[in-house]
Amino acid sequence: MTSRNLQISILGSTGSVGASTLAVIDENPSYKVFALTAHRNAKLLFEQCEKYRPKFAVLSEAAAAEFNTLLVKSNLDTKLLIGEPGLIEVASNPNVDIVMAAIVGAAGLESTLAAASNGKRLLLANKESLVMTGDLLKQAARESGAEILPIDSEHNAIFQCLPQTKSSVHTESNIGVVKVVLTASGGPFLNTPMEQLESVTPDQACQHPKWSMGRKISVDSATMMNKGLEFIEACYLFDLQPSQVDVLIHPQSIVHSMVHYKDGSVLAQMANPDMRVPIAYGLAWPQRIESGVAPLDLTAEEPLQFSKPDLSRFPCLRLGMEAAGERGTAPAVLNAANEVAVEAFLKGEIGFAEIPLIIEAVRSQIPCEPAPTLAIIQDLDGQARKLSKELILKDFCRGASA
Ligand code: NAD
Ligand code: MG
């Protein structure tokens, strides 16, 4: 794939990964923006449209009127599409070469699947869609000839450390791989006394020491559910058993992950912690382009440290690893309960320490289907969300700890 005038749809362009993607395109203007999408932020989406002049913009219904008011006063010929059908249209349009899937959570599932089913280069930031559908997403990509390129920095690092083949999904090429190591910063509460975790606020949880990200993934990083989801993501993406995936705490976030080979070699990818690095790699693979990120200066860094995670401090990581072992619908149920619990925490409805309690209760009450269809996954996703909300309303956790 040469970068000359490739057309890209950026799903979730107003978010953190979306903004980083536009920043990489600023460095490489031969990429052409075909579509930009957002949920409700009509004003920012409109400003982005003024700068990048895409053919389409997509917003949720509630924000459409505000965007159209701005549109009629302008000379833009961007067309506004609405909601899920709009997202699917810009993810599957025949004129699109590359889709950046950077919507947060299960809201990104249908559009990510549409890109995978329509032969696109799929830049996968929306890890939740792979966690939910796993093999189905990969199968859709295989059948349509789509390329899935991981944008999550850890998986992008592993991808960079694996033997490069024509296929972007390394099913047959990881010969000689003994295991992969996902690194984790440990988030803002790595050394917080355990008894203080009950009273931490959403703003404290979103103060990530190394990465600036959206609020949901920031909370996931603080609970380490992010690493739990990434553990599942790694098993699916690279066809690994859970026993072949390790997690190491690495607070400096310079080594983004590693691959251990049979002969004792360990390949690691390093860079300053900035999403523009994996995004640039995904856009240009197998070539390399400017990302705009400052060069890494190892002499200016604190010493690089590595340690094993404490699963009693981070029960969400354990829950993610367990779901990876079960596969089937277990990861989708885990993800749904986590999305509801994190939203409730961000709204002040539950405490930080209650997030894993809700998820564990939901996981124990919804049996795992081993070989699900998309319809079964969506059904169980709905059941898990409903049950999570009921448990939150019933103040289940306070009852459980009383
Ligand atoms: P964010 O909250 O900053 O942005 C989310 C984007 O999704 C926004 O553009 C928002 O408008 C859109 N969106 C939200 N709900 C929507 C809905 N219901 N319908 C349509 N659009 C909707 O999130 P982010 O930090 O950019 O993360 C995006 C995805 O990338 C997540 O899956 C996250 O796990 C993954 N990711 C993020 C980072 C990071 O550094 N931020 C790193 C690795 C992976
Ligand atoms: Mg990551």
Side-chain angles (χ1 to χ4, degrees), residues 13 33 61 87 99 183 193 233 237 264-265 278 297 304 322 359 368:
S13 64
V33 178
E61 177 90 60
L87 293 173
V99 175
T183 54
E233 189 184 4
L237 268 176
S265 298
D297 177 1
L304 304 185
E322 286 170 5
I359 300 166
C368 174

Side-chain angles (χ1 to χ4, degrees), residues 11-18 37-41 60 87 101-105 107-108 124-128 151-154 211-217 220 226 229-230 275:
L11 314 179
S13 64
T14 55
S16 165
V17 172
T37 88
H39 187 26
R40 296 206 180 99
N41 195 342
S60 297
L87 293 173
I103 291 175
V104 60
L124 186 68
N126 175 242
K127 66 190 88 185
E128 294 91 345
I151 296 303
D152 217 345
S153 57
E154 297 76 2
W211 298 91
S212 161
M213 310 181 284
R215 282 171 82 77
K216 190 263 180 183
I217 185 178
D220 284 349
N226 185 46
L229 297 175
E230 290 180 357
M275 287 304 290

